[in-house]
Amino acid sequence: MPRQLLNLFDYELEAAERMEPAYHAYYAGGVAENLARDDSRAAFERLRLRPRVLRDVSSVSTECTVMGTRCDSPMMIAPAAMHKLAHPEGEMATARAAKRAGVIQILSTMSNSAVEEVAAVGHPLWFQLYVFRDRAISEDVVARAEAAGCQALVLTVDVPALGLRENLARAGFEGAPHLDFPNFSGPGAGGDVVHHAAHTFDPGLSWKDVDWLASKTRLPIWLKGILRGDDAAIGLEHGAKGIMVSSHGGRQLDTAIAPVDALPEVVEAVDGRCEVLVDGGVRRGTDVIKALARGARAVMLGRPPLWGLAVDGEDGVADVFEKLRFELENGMMQCGCRTLKDIGPDLVV
Ligand SMILES: Cc1cc2nc3c(=O)[nH]c(=O)nc-3n(C[C@H](O)[C@H](O)[C@H](O)COP(=O)(O)O)c2cc1C
């Protein structure tokens, strides 16, 4: 009997059966013992909700804005490399689904579809940046993202080196030579994301590079991969306009603190000066409520859209977001919240 796809976990199981095992391992894995990956999820499970009753929830809205952009729900597509490992239409299918779901897509530097092509879908699109040792290539990538109409740049700050992805060796993952990275050109531009992380990304990145980036673009810069309040505050001093609390899906430093646990400290440190987003382990509508109750403006999802893509392309990604939006709406009713503004810190312990 075919599996019923009732929630995001069902999509995860179904994708695992459908995908090429080595590619699946690349998507699913964390690092070392997978403790950071698994605790990101477990941290949401540890939190408990304190619902309010008798608040007339006959009409509920999940609408919000993120940096001024209206979204149907407080969810975004986190940047993830190589969507074509899941589906031949890759990031294009994801983009069309984002448009249908009314959510912002963040395109990875390491996407298999060019930023210009993805932007032509006409939905709100942000661009995630890895800074290369060769700054000229990075400047070109930034200029292309800006010219294509991306609304923000997301500088990933948690990859000083690739994490210890032992599972890739075990699964025999060797990149995908048939795929391409069309957002940049240069030596060895095709195929292997792991190779690029080791040889192309700049491990010498420091706060002065945030200043450098700000001098090269008129787009707002978000910092992705912050897990401490002090780093968030330094980021704002260097001109960042938004903070993304993330442990890269537990793919970088094992035993890193769960993002939803780091969130309150970061929210306190920025003290209303910018919006804060969080990702890592968001799988249920109640997780979204918990993240918002702890001060996030919205959440981002990394793996679930990839599972949707692997199962049913554009329709699968759209369904993942519709399921989560429906769960959020239901959770809001159970908690006595008519709008996202009704979700406050008192809701969660
Ligand atoms: C397969 C895969 C590829 C990723 N590639 C990138 C990337 O290119 N840039 C980046 O900033 N984060 C990348 N991430 C991290 C995600 O943006 C996000 O932080 C993480 O997946 C959130 O956790 P979740 O998968 O539990 O939702 C990737 C994650 C996965 C699973």
Side-chain angles (χ1 to χ4, degrees):
M1 203 171 106
R3 170 178 286 116
Q4 282 186 294
L5 297 172
L6 299 180
N7 58 47
L8 274 51
F9 297 110
D10 293 334
Y11 268 96
E12 184 171 349
L13 292 172
E14 187 69 16
E17 283 174 18
R18 294 198 187 197
M19 284 186 76
E20 171 78 33
Y23 295 170
H24 176 264
Y26 171 68
Y27 279 0
V31 281
E33 273 74 62
N34 291 321
L35 296 170
R37 180 195 67 180
D38 295 346
D39 194 51
S40 301
R41 167 85 215 120
F44 279 110
E45 293 173 357
R46 283 193 293 269
L47 293 172
R48 292 289 176 269
L49 291 166
R50 300 175 61 238
R52 287 195 209 91
V53 297
L54 297 176
R55 298 273 164 162
D56 180 5
V57 286
S58 47
S59 159
V60 168
S61 168
T62 60
E63 277 185 23
C64 72
T65 61
V66 179
M67 201 169 254
T69 297
R70 207 202 65 78
C71 306
D72 285 0
S73 60
M75 300 161 196
M76 298 171 58
I77 300 183
M82 306 191 82
H83 283 207
K84 287 192 182 173
L85 294 179
H87 191 276
E89 290 169 24
E91 293 81 4
M92 296 303 294
T94 311
R96 289 191 291 267
K99 188 173 187 175
R100 275 164 61 182
V103 300
I104 294 170
Q105 177 186 17
I106 309 176
L107 189 71
S108 169
T109 294
M110 310 307 285
S111 64
N112 303 128
S113 310
V115 61
E116 294 83 0
E117 212 188 338
V118 178
V121 170
H123 61 310
L125 184 68
W126 295 9
F127 189 83
Q128 176 268 331
L129 188 71
Y130 282 125
V131 176
F132 296 158
R133 291 167 200 229
D134 183 342
R135 291 290 192 278
I137 300 180
S138 297
E139 284 180 26
D140 183 57
V141 175
V142 170
R144 281 179 59 184
E146 200 168 314
C150 292
Q151 297 170 350
L153 277 183
V154 173
L155 177 65
T156 298
V157 295
D158 60 5
V159 188
L162 197 72
L164 301 177
R165 303 198 184 170
E166 294 169 357
N167 80 315
L168 295 185
R170 294 209 171 89
F173 178 81
E174 288 176 340
H178 63 292
L179 296 178
D180 208 7
F181 296 121
N183 292 326
F184 60 95
S185 52
D192 190 349
V193 67
V194 174
H195 171 88
H196 279 290
H199 301 287
T200 316
F201 301 175
D202 189 355
L205 221 56
S206 72
W207 288 110
K208 69 177 175 9
D209 295 297
V210 181
D211 303 331
W212 162 80
L213 183 60
S215 76
K216 295 290 171 197
T217 182
R218 53 177 180 75
L219 296 179
I221 296 169
W222 288 71
L223 299 181
K224 174 171 181 283
I226 298 283
L227 288 170
R228 302 170 51 116
D230 51 3
D231 273 353
I234 298 171
L236 295 186
E237 283 166 23
H238 285 269
K241 295 289 187 279
I243 299 292
M244 296 172 169
V245 179
S246 172
S247 67
H248 215 106
R251 295 162 72 81
Q252 282 297 108
L253 172 68
D254 210 13
T255 74
I257 183 172
V260 74
D261 285 340
L263 182 60
E265 175 186 325
V266 172
V267 167
E268 192 184 334
V270 308
D271 194 21
R273 288 176 289 170
C274 74
E275 292 175 358
V276 177
L277 304 177
V278 68
D279 74 18
V282 177
R283 301 292 183 267
R284 282 289 190 184
T286 43
D287 300 338
V288 183
I289 294 177
K290 290 168 183 174
L292 268 55
R294 285 196 153 183
R297 184 76 180 180
V299 300
M300 301 181 290
L301 291 105
R303 294 179 184 85
L306 300 173
W307 305 144
L309 197 57
V311 171
D312 199 12
E314 173 188 336
D315 286 347
V317 181
D319 192 44
V320 159
F321 280 95
E322 177 46 30
K323 288 208 157 40
L324 201 62
R325 199 203 60 77
F326 176 78
E327 287 185 15
L328 169 61
E329 198 173 82
N330 184 277
M332 288 172 68
M333 293 175 81
Q334 309 291 347
C335 286
C337 300
R338 273 190 294 246
T339 72
L340 301 180
K341 291 197 172 61
D342 298 330
I343 301 176
D346 59 291
L347 268 188
V348 74
V349 279

